[in-house]
Amino acid sequence: MAKPQHATLESICNTIASYYPEAKLDLVKKAYAFADEAHRGQLRSSGEPYMIHPADVAQTLADLRLDLSSIVTGLLHDTVEDTHATLEQIEKEFGKDIAELVDGVTKLSQIAFKTSEEKQAENFRKMILAMAKDIRVILVKLSDRLNNMRTLEHLAPAKQQAIAQETLDIYAPIANRLGIGWLKMELEDLCLRYLHPDIYYKLRTQVAKTKKEREKYIDDVSQILLEELEKYDVRAQVVGRAKHFYSIYKKMDRRSSDFDQIFDLIAFRIIVDNITECYKALGVIHAVYKPVPGRFKDYIAIPKANGYQSLHTTVIGPNGERIEIQIRTQEMNQVAQGGIAAHWKYKEGRFDSRANENVAWVNRLLEWHKDLSDPNEFLETVKIDLFAEDVFVFTPTGEVKQLSHGATPLDFAYAVHTDVGNKCVGAKLNGKIVPLKHRLKSGDTVEIITSPTQTPSKDWLKIVKSSRAKAKIRAYIKTQERERADTLGREILDKALRPYSLTLAKMEKGSELLKAANTLRVKGLEELFILVGYGRITMDTLIPLLIPKEALERKIESAKAEDESFLKRVFKAAAKRSESKNAIKVAELEDVLIRFGRCCNPLPGDSIIGFITRGRGVTVHTATCTKALDNDPERRVDVRWNVADKGSIKRHVKIKVLSLDQPGLLALMSQTISSCGVNIASANIRTTKDKKAIAQFDVEVGDLTQLQKIVSALESKKGVITVERIRS
Ligand code: MN
């Protein structure tokens, strides 16, 4: 749709009048004069007057059949940023609607892309927000970008590439998502020209060179197709056209081959009157030519996410070559060209865009935006949605759900309803139970099994593909974590207040808590409890803000005495029962009862943490033990291995050895362990169906080094497959 000449006020007005005869063109004329005056004396990089740029942008918007406000915004879009004109002036002259659009475009233009990943994420987010607010802002920006890409040759090469890359990464996918086919294709071709000039010019030369041949080929095939269709009374129009360069390039890239045949460059389009005729035409084509398996797509029954409808097929054509054919109605053809704009209907002189799927998509993005506070998560979410191909599956009642490529039953469950997703325990695919991570294929019928006790887990994030499901799971986990932190935070604070004869309930009636929150720059009490729960605000910080100084000092004195007697009671009484009383040093205390967590069974050499258990001394876990992390962080104490007493420590550890089932193996393994100077407390062995043996030893070792010695000694024996330490 490239215009050979620059747009003029006249050409813009003519285009508008062609689809909107009652339009009040005075406003367009006024905007043109305003912009012309504002940009007077400015030149483009090409040396031409600046005004040709906004005029071309406005022309593109008129070609898209947009409303007057959009076109006027196209004319004014650079005035606030680049001239002395102000937003107030624009609002006064053109009204609030247009002033807001111009402001949106100006703000969007000030976003510098191509910086760090995080910044890019944030920028992308702003863009989506602008889009959600008024999609016309993006349409003006897209037209602006198209015009800039068309005139990119006047810029320095480094700048050309940066702009082209950004266009390929962001603007072309958005044009595609909004269903504006021609705009997406032109942007992509222009990007190819600046990003891979060698390939672009090679393709262009080859296409030009074969022009005559190609035209003849198109004529011949079109004629044959028309004749075949006529035989069956299908009235149709057949057009053949060269595919756009970027799609040829991508095909070459995928197959890593050169193109050498003309028919690889061409696609045919059959345009008929109505949907019935589409299928009739398809029937004729498939009856006459052999279809290539796996290439037929029915985008009429199930349109693409951007609203695109068509039948696609590839057949072995009249001369034995593959022909790509698209069959669609005139109306579908218009939608394929204009996308979002073609859907828009006039309603009292304005476009009514409410019924449009693409607007629904933008609104959905806005909804996720609320759920996701991390810009990178948001970027990931949006990227998935912009680039994903779609899968279409059915509910048991026959309703169609559209999901991203690679979607799982869990994605489907979330597409049905957030609650169905959250409670999902399993799925039936075409009547058979499948795992939750199963990948859905188009045409599958999916039934979700739910349980009222089910809740989402972090692992689900690895299973789901769709941005909606990801956003919902993350939101759920976050809420759960915050709720847990809130409860824990309240408990911790309540306990810490007890020694001052206070309770949290009492405290909440006064204003001290809010004051403390203000001092700590925390928004509200709930947030304060949550931060306490997460351990980000400790009692050492918070208590002094809540308790008067004198009370605090009095308490410190009595606390010392109390603490001592508490610890003495706990530790002294239990000292005799200690498993390994000298193996561990707890802070600087003596005679502490030590227990080792059965969950992780730490060995000297493991890094460890301890928790005070009321009345039972200190339980020691490995630093990585997940059970340990369930403990109250307030009860945590520093522990370390008592190195001085090393020789006296003996700890029981279980080792599992998987080996081939060979005679004498148990004896050999026992010998190996004994030769490391280690006692075996017990041993047992069992064999598996596939001729393997699993031996389990309970050994007494002094530390990690000794254990590792045994493990590697065992591993070096012939027939041994794996050796592992088992915890619990
Ligand atoms: Mn511009």
Side-chain angles (χ1 to χ4, degrees):
M1 215 176 259
K3 295 274 150 187
Q5 255 132 29
H6 287 302
T8 59
L9 176 59
E10 200 190 349
S11 72
I12 298 167
C13 289
N14 286 343
T15 309
I16 300 171
S18 72
Y19 65 92
Y20 185 19
E22 327 72 280
K24 294 198 179 68
L25 293 171
D26 289 353
L27 197 68
V28 178
K29 289 173 187 154
K30 185 173 160 191
Y32 190 96
F34 183 94
D36 197 23
E37 175 63 35
H39 289 297
R40 179 142 304 160
Q42 291 179 344
L43 297 177
R44 298 219 81 201
S45 308
S46 62
E48 294 167 292
Y50 196 89
M51 190 55 205
I52 62 167
H53 167 65
D56 280 343
V57 171
Q59 179 67 55
T60 302
L61 293 162
D63 289 340
L64 283 168
R65 304 164 72 93
L66 292 189
D67 66 340
L68 282 188
S69 296
S70 305
I71 295 161
V72 167
T73 303
L75 288 168
L76 301 174
H77 81 273
D78 275 334
T79 54
V80 173
E81 202 178 3
D82 295 343
T83 76
H84 294 300
T86 62
L87 262 186
E88 291 72 42
Q89 245 177 312
I90 287 179
E91 182 168 347
K92 203 174 131 234
E93 299 288 334
F94 300 97
K96 204 162 175 227
D97 188 36
I98 287 168
E100 273 176 7
L101 287 171
V102 172
D103 189 34
V105 179
T106 307
K107 282 186 180 138
L108 214 50
S109 305
Q110 283 157 352
I111 298 174
F113 289 95
K114 282 295 282 181
T115 46
S116 69
E117 179 79 347
E118 192 163 323
K119 242 187 172 167
Q120 196 195 345
E122 190 51 42
N123 289 335
F124 212 89
R125 179 138 104 150
K126 281 186 197 148
M127 179 113 124
I128 300 295
L129 282 178
M131 197 148 54
K133 218 172 153 197
D134 192 330
I135 202 148
R136 292 175 299 177
V137 170
I138 290 294
L139 292 168
V140 175
K141 185 68 201 167
L142 279 172
S143 304
D144 179 38
R145 177 51 60 107
L146 174 68
N147 193 255
N148 289 335
M149 284 299 296
R150 280 174 177 172
T151 52
L152 206 57
E153 60 194 276
H154 304 292
L155 299 185
K159 207 149 187 210
Q160 288 175 341
Q161 294 198 358
I163 293 176
Q165 190 63 53
E166 179 186 297
T167 304
L168 194 60
D169 288 345
I170 292 165
Y171 292 98
I174 286 180
N176 180 43
R177 196 58 181 73
L178 297 179
I180 314 169
W182 70 268
L183 182 52
K184 170 214 161 204
M185 286 191 264
E186 190 175 340
L187 286 176
E188 284 179 345
D189 276 356
L190 287 164
C191 291
L192 186 67
R193 173 172 162 189
Y194 292 100
L195 293 174
H196 302 285
D198 45 336
I199 294 170
Y200 175 83
Y201 286 107
K202 192 179 158 206
L203 281 173
R204 211 168 79 163
T205 316
Q206 270 172 288
V207 169
K209 217 167 51 192
T210 57
K211 189 165 183 258
K212 268 225 168 95
E213 217 183 324
R214 193 175 69 241
E215 279 169 356
K216 183 170 175 336
Y217 173 80
I218 291 175
D219 273 356
D220 291 352
V221 174
S222 304
Q223 200 50 46
I224 298 169
L225 291 177
L226 268 180
E227 278 165 19
E228 294 294 345
L229 290 166
E230 252 164 44
K231 278 187 208 163
Y232 295 88
D233 287 333
V234 180
R235 286 198 323 147
Q237 197 189 331
V238 178
V239 263
R241 49 164 195 106
K243 285 184 225 160
H244 78 297
F245 295 137
Y246 189 74
S247 73
I248 302 171
Y249 160 71
K250 274 214 316 213
K251 217 172 192 176
M252 281 165 53
D253 212 34
R254 264 205 307 275
R255 298 187 189 155
S256 63
S257 67
D258 253 355
F259 83 99
D260 51 6
Q261 288 153 305
I262 308 158
F263 54 79
D264 274 344
L265 302 178
I266 295 160
F268 286 88
R269 190 172 293 156
I270 297 174
I271 295 167
V272 293
D273 288 340
N274 54 49
I275 292 180
T276 320
E277 295 284 287
C278 287
Y279 290 99
K280 207 170 156 190
L282 178 78
V284 173
I285 299 295
H286 279 187
V288 179
Y289 305 110
K290 201 173 156 48
V292 177
R295 296 299 303 267
F296 170 63
K297 302 241 166 60
D298 186 345
Y299 293 121
I300 291 181
I302 299 168
K304 279 195 188 181
N306 60 20
Y308 175 90
Q309 286 187 298
S310 222
L311 299 174
H312 285 193
T313 188
T314 303
V315 297
I316 305 298
N319 306 316
E321 71 280 20
R322 292 154 68 107
I323 321 180
E324 286 185 37
I325 297 173
Q326 301 167 347
I327 304 168
R328 52 174 84 145
T329 65
Q330 193 64 51
E331 201 188 341
M332 290 172 193
N333 199 36
Q334 269 165 23
V335 172
Q337 292 300 310
I340 190 163
H343 280 290
W344 286 12
K345 304 261 165 3
Y346 273 113
K347 208 181 178 191
E348 291 147 14
R350 288 179 62 97
F351 285 101
D352 178 24
S353 60
R354 269 173 308 177
N356 192 294
E357 253 302 303
N358 291 303
V359 175
W361 170 68
V362 172
N363 288 336
R364 228 158 45 225
L365 287 181
L366 191 66
E367 186 193 320
W368 299 332
H369 164 77
K370 283 186 210 140
D371 285 346
L372 300 172
S373 53
D374 177 355
N376 280 318
E377 264 177 33
F378 185 74
L379 181 69
E380 191 201 333
T381 304
V382 174
K383 270 192 176 164
I384 294 169
D385 220 62
L386 273 176
F387 296 103
E389 292 214 25
D390 303 308
V391 172
F392 295 90
V393 294
F394 297 96
T395 68
T397 56
E399 201 187 320
V400 179
K401 292 282 170 197
Q402 175 193 337
L403 300 167
S404 329
H405 180 74
T408 63
L410 211 43
D411 290 294
F412 175 86
Y414 276 101
V416 172
H417 195 276
T418 306
D419 285 341
V420 176
N422 286 343
K423 302 273 169 236
C424 174
V425 285
K428 275 188 194 168
L429 201 71
N430 311 319
K432 275 191 199 137
I433 297 224
V434 292
L436 282 183
K437 62 179 184 202
H438 184 93
R439 282 174 160 231
L440 300 176
K441 286 197 301 290
S442 278
D444 284 340
T445 298
V446 192
E447 188 183 336
I448 295 299
I449 307 162
T450 59
S451 155
T453 55
Q454 176 70 303
T455 54
S457 82
K458 263 189 183 146
D459 293 337
W460 285 13
L461 289 171
K462 291 183 208 133
I463 296 175
V464 298
K465 282 283 173 305
S466 65
S467 26
R468 178 188 163 85
K470 275 195 180 156
K472 293 294 176 193
I473 295 167
R474 282 198 181 113
Y476 181 89
I477 291 170
K478 207 171 188 180
T479 316
Q480 285 304 104
E481 275 177 1
R482 283 175 66 86
E483 270 170 25
R484 238 178 288 146
D486 182 56
T487 315
L488 183 63
R490 286 166 178 275
E491 264 173 36
I492 291 172
L493 186 53
D494 191 51
K495 260 178 213 150
L497 289 169
R498 287 288 156 87
Y500 306 94
S501 312
L502 281 166
T503 61
L504 182 58
K506 260 189 225 162
M507 200 91 218
E508 271 183 296
K509 284 177 194 149
S511 60
E512 290 89 346
L513 269 171
L514 261 179
K515 269 190 216 148
N518 278 338
T519 314
L520 295 168
R521 295 177 189 282
V522 174
K523 270 185 217 146
L525 289 190
E526 197 189 326
E527 201 58 34
L528 182 71
F529 299 140
I530 287 170
L531 288 172
V532 169
Y534 278 134
R536 301 217 182 102
I537 293 176
T538 63
M539 290 305 104
D540 293 348
T541 316
L542 188 53
I543 292 293
L545 295 173
L546 299 174
I547 309 293
K549 215 176 168 192
E550 317 80 65
L552 215 53
E553 274 160 9
R554 238 182 307 158
K555 173 62 195 151
I556 288 169
E557 287 310 307
S558 66
K560 267 188 193 159
E562 217 175 86
D563 266 3
E564 264 163 39
S565 78
F566 165 71
L567 286 171
K568 265 180 200 155
R569 246 184 303 126
V570 172
F571 301 147
K572 273 268 165 63
K576 278 184 187 151
R577 286 182 284 129
S578 177
E579 282 182 55
S580 257
K581 64 174 181 180
N582 293 321
I584 299 276
K585 282 278 268 180
V586 177
E588 292 309 316
L589 297 162
E590 299 285 332
D591 286 340
V592 180
L593 170 65
I594 300 294
R595 280 163 189 278
F596 290 101
R598 287 192 190 284
C599 37
C600 53
N601 197 21
L603 262 189
D606 282 330
S607 64
I608 46 174
I609 48 177
F611 290 92
I612 296 173
T613 2
R614 220 164 266 261
R616 295 204 294 142
V618 169
T619 307
V620 175
H621 295 270
T622 62
T624 52
C625 176
T626 47
K627 260 252 173 95
L629 300 174
D630 290 344
N631 279 296
D632 183 349
E634 292 286 301
R635 293 173 176 276
R636 189 171 156 173
V637 283
D638 281 337
V639 290
R640 58 185 162 83
W641 295 102
N642 193 355
V643 192
D645 208 18
K646 201 175 173 183
S648 66
I649 302 169
K650 284 283 175 245
R651 303 270 303 121
H652 280 262
V653 173
K654 289 197 181 91
I655 309 173
K656 190 164 108 183
V657 185
L658 177 68
S659 65
L660 298 175
D661 187 13
Q662 291 165 354
L665 208 61
L666 185 61
L668 176 70
M669 288 191 277
S670 308
Q671 227 171 31
T672 310
I673 295 171
S674 303
S675 70
C676 295
V678 169
N679 284 335
I680 301 173
S682 73
N684 67 66
I685 192 159
R686 66 188 170 86
T687 53
T688 64
K689 273 186 202 149
D690 57 343
K691 293 250 153 54
K692 295 209 177 74
I694 298 169
Q696 196 165 310
F697 297 94
D698 187 341
V699 295
E700 288 177 356
V701 294
D703 62 11
L704 200 59
T705 323
Q706 197 174 21
L707 177 69
Q708 279 156 353
K709 210 170 117 194
I710 301 170
V711 170
S712 44
L714 285 169
E715 276 174 341
S716 70
K717 296 296 166 213
K718 210 178 153 205
V720 170
I721 302 165
T722 57
V723 182
E724 65 179 313
R725 166 184 178 187
I726 43 182
R727 303 178 189 265
S728 91

